[in-house]
């Protein structure tokens, strides 16, 4: 009888934290619809330039960052934190630490986002992509990230006698990386070239170390839960996947600035690590396939698994898109064009599908038909936008390169305007894709609001780990997370800042010397 009471108490403790997770899902899904709507309105302004009229806060320069930031900080950030609050207690078998603080962190993050959006609407923009918010709004978001990281860590530490499984590695690591990346990226009053390098470092860290790592952790829990199997013990491949992702992704930021601000050696480093980025991605894909071995038939039967698989397919494209920008031969064509926007939409699409898979699993909708519509509207919408931006980027880049080879100035003035006219087709396609995406997310919001909670299988933590595959203890994990991040920040941020003469881009400098020589 005592054993039965103990199990019941443990289950109640685990379920007690589901309320905080659900709050994050509901608020996140609402921001997802808002962000998709704002992004669609921005896309329509490229098709109908006079759509906003003379209303300042509806102008493209304000609406577009409002939409992107809402998707990143309102949807992906909050929903991923909510997923961590839901799955970690089930992994370690204890209740969520400090549930009231978890709800307070949601209020902090939401207040920071709303304040930042208001500042953007009235024209207060810091001019740094994904970091446009005012200092006080960034401070609230940072406090929310720190609170979430502490809650996640304390939850795992409460079960010190349990082995620290793979999903927990990625969830705990991503929570602290999010706080560190945001802290370094939002440092104010960094000007000139160093500001561009700082922003690029933030881009790579936020997408790779937080969104990708956290999403992978969710998959390491979700796929065994769907298949009904015990969570597999971490293998050497798992270790390679985690530590190579931790090491490689944050060094790739400068790939977005090839032939732009920054020293040439930093571009070379970004290109090298963009190639190395295939190692963690392939390791993760191989390791996840291990969980599905012999159960591939579930891809047809399980809608959450279909969401996850579609997100994995998009995720596999990220290192390829990044590498095309990082290599100088291809970056000379697609750099600083709409091609870069394809990385953003593919990443948002992949992580949205993963979170949708998780939420659909723990709160299944009442209609299979509408769930299928949500899946295909999301995949088709993201696909259309990505293809449109690939073609637009190639068209822009080849036009500019052609003008440079013919010694015609078409990247400025009337020449630039003429080079934009042929982009009308891709812009129409992008607007159609975002319309589909928005429709799917509206359906998803209703599912989150009305979906009934379905108790997921009570999975036991990973089984015993032998001497050949040693576990990663919490102190070692946190030391590695912080250490690898600080090394990357030292080489990618501090060392470039110590260089002098970084006052002009590479191409401009070369051209100036050439003309001076003539």
């Amino acid at each position: 009888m005592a054993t039965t009471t103990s199990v019941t108490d443990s289950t109640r403790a685990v379920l007690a934290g589901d309320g905080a997770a659900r709050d994050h899902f509901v608020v996140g899904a609402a921001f997802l619809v808002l962000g998709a709507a704002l992004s669609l309105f921005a896309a329509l302004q490229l098709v109908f330039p006079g759509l906003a009229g003379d209303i300042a806060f509806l102008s493209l320069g304000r609406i577009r960052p409002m939409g992107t930031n809402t998707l990143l900080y309102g949807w992906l950030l909050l929903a991923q934190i909510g997923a961590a609050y839901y799955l970690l207690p089930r992994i370690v078998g204890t209740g969520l630490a400090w549930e009231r603080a978890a709800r307070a962190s949601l209020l902090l993050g939401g207040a920071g986002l709303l304040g930042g959006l208001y500042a953007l609407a009235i024209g207060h923009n810091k001019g740094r992509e994904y970091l446009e918010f005012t200092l006080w709004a960034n401070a609230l978001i940072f406090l929310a990230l720190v609170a979430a990281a502490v809650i996640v860590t304390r939850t795992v530490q409460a079960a010190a006698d349990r082995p620290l499984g793979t999903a927990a590695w990625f969830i705990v690591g991503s929570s602290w990386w999010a706080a560190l990346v945001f802290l370094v990226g939002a440092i104010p009053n960094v000007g000139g070239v160093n500001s561009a390098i700082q922003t690029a470092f933030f881009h790579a860290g936020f997408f790779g170390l937080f969104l990708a790592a956290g999403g992978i952790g969710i998959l390491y829990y979700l796929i065994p839960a769907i298949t009904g199997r015990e969570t597999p013990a971490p293998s050497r491949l798992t270790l390679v996947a985690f530590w190579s992702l931790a090491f490689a992704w944050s060094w790739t930021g400068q790939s977005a600035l090839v032939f732009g601000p920054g020293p040439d050696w930093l571009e070379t480093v970004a290109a090298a690590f963009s190639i190395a980025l295939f190692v963690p991605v392939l390791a993760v894909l191989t390791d996840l396939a291990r969980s599905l071995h012999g159960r591939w038939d579930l891809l047809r039967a399980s809608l959450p698994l279909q969401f996850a698989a579609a997100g994995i397919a998009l995720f596999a494209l990220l290192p390829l898109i990044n590498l095309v920008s990082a290599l100088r031969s291809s970056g000379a064509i697609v750099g600083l064009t709409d091609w870069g926007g394809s990385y953003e939409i593919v990443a948002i699409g992949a992580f949205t599908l993963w979170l949708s898979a998780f939420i659909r699993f723990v709160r299944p909708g009442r209609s299979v038909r509408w769930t299928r519509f949500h899946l295909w509207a999301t995949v088709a919408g993201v696909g259309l936008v990505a293809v449109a931006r690939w073609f637009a980027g190639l068209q822009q880049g080849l036009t500019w390169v052609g003008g440079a080879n013919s010694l015609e100035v078409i990247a400025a003035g009337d020449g630039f305007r003429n080079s934009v006219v042929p982009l009308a087709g891709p812009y129409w396609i992008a607007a159609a894709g975002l319309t589909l995406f928005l429709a799917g997310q509206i359906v998803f919001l209703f599912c989150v609001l009305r979906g009934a909670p379905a108790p997921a299988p009570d999975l036991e933590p990973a089984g015993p780990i032998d001497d050949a595959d040693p576990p990663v203890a919490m102190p070692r994990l946190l030391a590695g997370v912080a250490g690898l991040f600080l090394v990357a920040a030292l080489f990618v941020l501090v060392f470039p800042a110590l260089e002098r003469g970084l006052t002009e881009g590479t191409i401009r400098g070369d051209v100036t010397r050439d003309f001076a020589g003539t």
Side-chain angles (χ1 to χ4, degrees):
M1 182 66 66
T3 303
T4 303
T5 303
S6 176
V7 172
T8 302
D9 291 342
S10 176
T11 302
R12 288 176 179 173
V14 169
L15 296 178
D18 287 358
R22 182 186 181 277
D23 291 345
H24 280 74
F25 295 153
V26 171
V27 174
F31 278 129
L32 171 59
V33 172
L34 176 61
L38 292 172
S39 298
L40 173 59
F41 189 75
L44 289 174
Q45 290 190 62
L46 295 176
V47 179
F48 306 105
L51 183 62
D54 295 327
I55 304 176
F57 72 88
L58 294 180
S59 62
L60 178 64
R62 301 188 188 183
I63 287 293
R64 189 186 184 283
M66 288 171 64
T68 303
N69 281 280
T70 301
L71 291 174
L72 292 180
Y73 302 124
W75 158 237
L76 294 178
L77 186 150
L78 294 181
Q80 191 157 297
I81 292 174
Y85 290 163
Y86 184 94
L87 65 85
L88 280 179
R90 285 163 170 78
I91 292 174
V92 301
T94 63
L96 180 69
W98 304 332
E99 183 185 355
R100 291 184 180 179
R103 295 178 186 273
S105 71
L106 173 61
L107 294 176
L108 282 174
L113 173 65
L114 292 175
L117 293 178
Y118 174 76
L120 289 179
I122 62 176
H124 294 175
N125 189 321
K126 295 298 182 181
R128 299 170 56 207
E129 192 175 26
Y130 313 145
L131 292 166
E132 293 97 345
F133 288 168
T134 56
L135 181 60
W136 64 268
N138 284 336
L140 291 178
I141 294 175
F142 173 70
L143 290 176
L145 290 172
V146 172
V150 172
I151 292 168
V152 163
T153 304
R154 289 294 301 164
T155 300
V156 175
Q157 287 177 330
D161 58 326
R162 302 282 185 95
L164 190 59
T166 306
W169 299 356
F170 283 93
I171 294 296
V172 173
S174 68
S175 65
W176 284 107
W177 278 323
L180 291 171
V181 167
F182 198 85
L183 174 64
V184 173
I187 293 176
N189 301 324
V190 178
V193 173
N194 290 328
S195 176
I197 296 173
Q198 177 191 22
T199 304
F201 178 77
F202 173 81
H203 289 183
F206 191 80
F207 279 105
L209 298 183
F210 173 54
L211 294 179
I216 292 168
I218 292 171
L219 292 183
Y220 271 113
Y221 169 85
L222 180 63
I223 292 178
I226 293 174
T227 59
R229 292 174 170 174
E230 183 180 273
T231 306
S235 64
R236 291 196 181 278
L237 184 62
T238 310
L239 290 172
V240 169
F242 180 79
W243 292 115
S244 60
L245 184 147
F247 183 67
W249 211 309
S250 56
W251 294 69
T252 64
Q254 198 68 11
S255 60
L257 297 176
V258 172
F259 295 120
D264 289 343
W265 66 263
L266 191 57
E267 296 175 5
T268 302
V269 168
F273 277 91
S274 294
I275 297 173
L277 193 58
F278 284 90
V279 173
V281 172
L282 292 176
V284 166
L285 297 182
T286 304
D287 207 27
L288 290 174
R290 203 170 50 122
S291 300
L292 273 175
H293 181 68
R295 300 301 307 273
W296 295 102
D297 57 303
L298 287 176
L299 277 173
R300 291 188 176 183
S302 172
L303 282 172
L305 192 57
Q306 292 175 19
F307 276 91
I312 289 172
L314 289 177
F315 175 72
L317 292 175
L318 291 180
L320 180 60
I321 297 171
N322 185 76
L323 183 62
V324 172
S325 299
L327 297 177
R328 288 189 175 92
S329 55
S330 51
I333 298 174
V334 301
L336 305 178
T337 69
D338 277 345
W339 178 276
S342 68
Y343 183 92
E344 172 188 292
I345 188 62
V346 170
I348 291 176
F351 306 138
T352 293
L353 287 166
W354 287 353
L355 287 167
S356 298
F358 182 80
I359 296 173
R360 288 283 187 182
F361 180 69
V362 302
R363 299 188 64 82
R366 301 176 186 274
S367 171
V368 173
R369 179 179 300 177
W370 284 112
T371 302
R372 292 188 184 278
F373 174 79
H374 172 212
L375 171 62
W376 292 112
T378 302
V379 173
V382 170
L384 286 174
V385 178
V387 170
R389 290 186 174 174
W390 287 334
F391 277 102
L394 286 171
Q395 191 167 351
Q396 285 173 307
L398 292 173
T399 301
W400 296 344
V401 169
N405 291 336
S406 62
L407 300 181
E408 295 181 5
V409 180
I410 63 171
D414 292 335
F416 176 79
R417 284 190 290 270
N418 293 334
S419 72
V420 173
V421 172
L423 301 179
Y427 288 159
W428 270 103
I429 295 173
L434 285 171
T435 301
L436 275 176
F437 183 79
L438 173 60
Q441 308 327 305
I442 292 174
V443 170
F444 177 58
L445 175 60
F446 279 102
C447 169
V448 174
L449 292 174
R450 301 183 60 188
D458 289 328
L459 300 180
E460 291 296 326
I465 304 171
D466 58 30
D467 294 336
D469 299 313
V472 176
M474 180 65 76
R476 179 184 172 191
L477 175 68
L478 294 180
V481 164
L484 289 177
F485 177 82
L486 292 176
V487 169
L490 180 67
F491 280 89
V492 178
L493 287 178
V494 178
F495 286 171
L498 297 178
E499 290 199 16
R500 297 184 178 182
L502 295 182
T503 57
E504 55 187 16
T506 303
I507 288 181
R508 181 180 176 186
D510 292 340
V511 171
T512 302
R513 287 193 291 272
D514 289 342
F515 276 106
T518 58

